[in-house]
mmCIF file of all heavy atoms in Angstrom:
data_model
loop_
_atom_site.group_PDB
_atom_site.id
_atom_site.type_symbol
_atom_site.label_atom_id
_atom_site.label_comp_id
_atom_site.label_asym_id
_atom_site.label_seq_id
_atom_site.Cartn_x
_atom_site.Cartn_y
_atom_site.Cartn_z
ATOM 1 N N GLY A 1359 -227.795 -10.613 25.846
ATOM 2 C CA GLY A 1359 -227.688 -11.099 24.473
ATOM 3 C C GLY A 1359 -226.263 -11.069 23.973
ATOM 4 O O GLY A 1359 -225.820 -11.966 23.244
ATOM 5 N N CYS A 1360 -225.521 -10.038 24.377
ATOM 6 C CA CYS A 1360 -224.109 -9.925 23.990
ATOM 7 C C CYS A 1360 -223.174 -10.298 25.135
ATOM 8 O O CYS A 1360 -222.134 -10.915 24.918
ATOM 9 C CB CYS A 1360 -223.797 -8.500 23.525
ATOM 10 S SG CYS A 1360 -224.589 -8.034 21.966
ATOM 11 N N HIS A 1361 -223.550 -9.922 26.352
ATOM 12 C CA HIS A 1361 -222.642 -10.142 27.479
ATOM 13 C C HIS A 1361 -222.452 -11.609 27.816
ATOM 14 O O HIS A 1361 -221.445 -11.977 28.426
ATOM 15 C CB HIS A 1361 -223.124 -9.361 28.701
ATOM 16 C CG HIS A 1361 -222.721 -7.923 28.678
ATOM 17 N ND1 HIS A 1361 -221.516 -7.469 29.169
ATOM 18 C CD2 HIS A 1361 -223.356 -6.834 28.166
ATOM 19 C CE1 HIS A 1361 -221.431 -6.159 28.993
ATOM 20 N NE2 HIS A 1361 -222.531 -5.749 28.380
ATOM 21 N N GLN A 1362 -223.371 -12.470 27.415
ATOM 22 C CA GLN A 1362 -223.170 -13.898 27.661
ATOM 23 C C GLN A 1362 -222.006 -14.451 26.842
ATOM 24 O O GLN A 1362 -221.473 -15.517 27.155
ATOM 25 C CB GLN A 1362 -224.446 -14.665 27.329
ATOM 26 C CG GLN A 1362 -224.859 -14.620 25.879
ATOM 27 C CD GLN A 1362 -226.171 -15.337 25.628
ATOM 28 O OE1 GLN A 1362 -226.689 -16.026 26.521
ATOM 29 N NE2 GLN A 1362 -226.733 -15.189 24.438
ATOM 30 N N ALA A 1363 -221.616 -13.711 25.799
ATOM 31 C CA ALA A 1363 -220.465 -14.116 25.004
ATOM 32 C C ALA A 1363 -219.162 -13.544 25.555
ATOM 33 O O ALA A 1363 -218.080 -14.055 25.248
ATOM 34 C CB ALA A 1363 -220.642 -13.674 23.555
ATOM 35 N N MET A 1364 -219.259 -12.479 26.360
ATOM 36 C CA MET A 1364 -218.057 -11.798 26.856
ATOM 37 C C MET A 1364 -217.761 -12.106 28.317
ATOM 38 O O MET A 1364 -216.626 -12.434 28.686
ATOM 39 C CB MET A 1364 -218.215 -10.279 26.679
ATOM 40 C CG MET A 1364 -218.407 -9.822 25.252
ATOM 41 S SD MET A 1364 -218.518 -8.012 25.117
ATOM 42 C CE MET A 1364 -220.113 -7.694 25.871
ATOM 43 N N ASN A 1365 -218.789 -11.973 29.165
ATOM 44 C CA ASN A 1365 -218.564 -12.074 30.605
ATOM 45 C C ASN A 1365 -217.876 -13.360 31.049
ATOM 46 O O ASN A 1365 -216.900 -13.308 31.811
ATOM 47 C CB ASN A 1365 -219.896 -11.927 31.349
ATOM 48 C CG ASN A 1365 -220.453 -10.516 31.263
ATOM 49 O OD1 ASN A 1365 -219.990 -9.707 30.469
ATOM 50 N ND2 ASN A 1365 -221.477 -10.241 32.047
ATOM 51 N N PRO A 1366 -218.345 -14.556 30.601
ATOM 52 C CA PRO A 1366 -217.710 -15.783 31.091
ATOM 53 C C PRO A 1366 -216.220 -15.869 30.758
ATOM 54 O O PRO A 1366 -215.440 -16.405 31.556
ATOM 55 C CB PRO A 1366 -218.510 -16.892 30.386
ATOM 56 C CG PRO A 1366 -219.831 -16.281 30.101
ATOM 57 C CD PRO A 1366 -219.526 -14.854 29.756
ATOM 58 N N ILE A 1367 -215.844 -15.376 29.595
ATOM 59 C CA ILE A 1367 -214.418 -15.392 29.239
ATOM 60 C C ILE A 1367 -213.637 -14.472 30.163
ATOM 61 O O ILE A 1367 -212.586 -14.838 30.700
ATOM 62 C CB ILE A 1367 -214.231 -14.983 27.772
ATOM 63 C CG1 ILE A 1367 -214.790 -16.062 26.844
ATOM 64 C CG2 ILE A 1367 -212.743 -14.746 27.458
ATOM 65 C CD1 ILE A 1367 -214.704 -15.710 25.371
ATOM 66 N N GLY A 1368 -214.140 -13.272 30.379
ATOM 67 C CA GLY A 1368 -213.455 -12.342 31.276
ATOM 68 C C GLY A 1368 -213.404 -12.834 32.702
ATOM 69 O O GLY A 1368 -212.390 -12.664 33.399
ATOM 70 N N PHE A 1369 -214.474 -13.475 33.168
ATOM 71 C CA PHE A 1369 -214.508 -13.968 34.549
ATOM 72 C C PHE A 1369 -213.449 -15.041 34.792
ATOM 73 O O PHE A 1369 -212.997 -15.216 35.924
ATOM 74 C CB PHE A 1369 -215.889 -14.531 34.871
ATOM 75 C CG PHE A 1369 -216.979 -13.482 34.922
ATOM 76 C CD1 PHE A 1369 -218.307 -13.833 34.712
ATOM 77 C CD2 PHE A 1369 -216.676 -12.154 35.179
ATOM 78 C CE1 PHE A 1369 -219.309 -12.883 34.769
ATOM 79 C CE2 PHE A 1369 -217.678 -11.185 35.235
ATOM 80 C CZ PHE A 1369 -218.996 -11.552 35.015
ATOM 81 N N ALA A 1370 -213.064 -15.768 33.754
ATOM 82 C CA ALA A 1370 -212.045 -16.814 33.914
ATOM 83 C C ALA A 1370 -210.700 -16.245 34.332
ATOM 84 O O ALA A 1370 -209.837 -16.976 34.841
ATOM 85 C CB ALA A 1370 -211.892 -17.597 32.609
ATOM 86 N N PHE A 1371 -210.512 -14.931 34.137
ATOM 87 C CA PHE A 1371 -209.234 -14.293 34.474
ATOM 88 C C PHE A 1371 -209.290 -13.548 35.807
ATOM 89 O O PHE A 1371 -208.341 -12.818 36.138
ATOM 90 C CB PHE A 1371 -208.822 -13.334 33.356
ATOM 91 C CG PHE A 1371 -208.410 -14.030 32.096
ATOM 92 C CD1 PHE A 1371 -209.350 -14.399 31.154
ATOM 93 C CD2 PHE A 1371 -207.072 -14.330 31.860
ATOM 94 C CE1 PHE A 1371 -208.971 -15.055 29.985
ATOM 95 C CE2 PHE A 1371 -206.687 -14.977 30.702
ATOM 96 C CZ PHE A 1371 -207.639 -15.351 29.762
ATOM 97 N N GLU A 1372 -210.368 -13.716 36.563
ATOM 98 C CA GLU A 1372 -210.478 -13.024 37.845
ATOM 99 C C GLU A 1372 -209.563 -13.614 38.911
ATOM 100 O O GLU A 1372 -209.491 -13.098 40.024
ATOM 101 C CB GLU A 1372 -211.931 -13.019 38.323
ATOM 102 C CG GLU A 1372 -212.800 -12.003 37.606
ATOM 103 C CD GLU A 1372 -212.292 -10.585 37.819
ATOM 104 O OE1 GLU A 1372 -212.567 -10.006 38.882
ATOM 105 O OE2 GLU A 1372 -211.607 -10.064 36.909
ATOM 106 N N GLY A 1373 -208.856 -14.684 38.569
ATOM 107 C CA GLY A 1373 -207.833 -15.210 39.467
ATOM 108 C C GLY A 1373 -206.542 -14.404 39.412
ATOM 109 O O GLY A 1373 -205.546 -14.775 40.043
#
Side-chain angles (χ1 to χ4, degrees):
C1360 292
H1361 278 273
Q1362 64 183 350
M1364 300 182 290
N1365 290 13
I1367 291 177
F1369 292 156
F1371 290 86
E1372 283 299 280

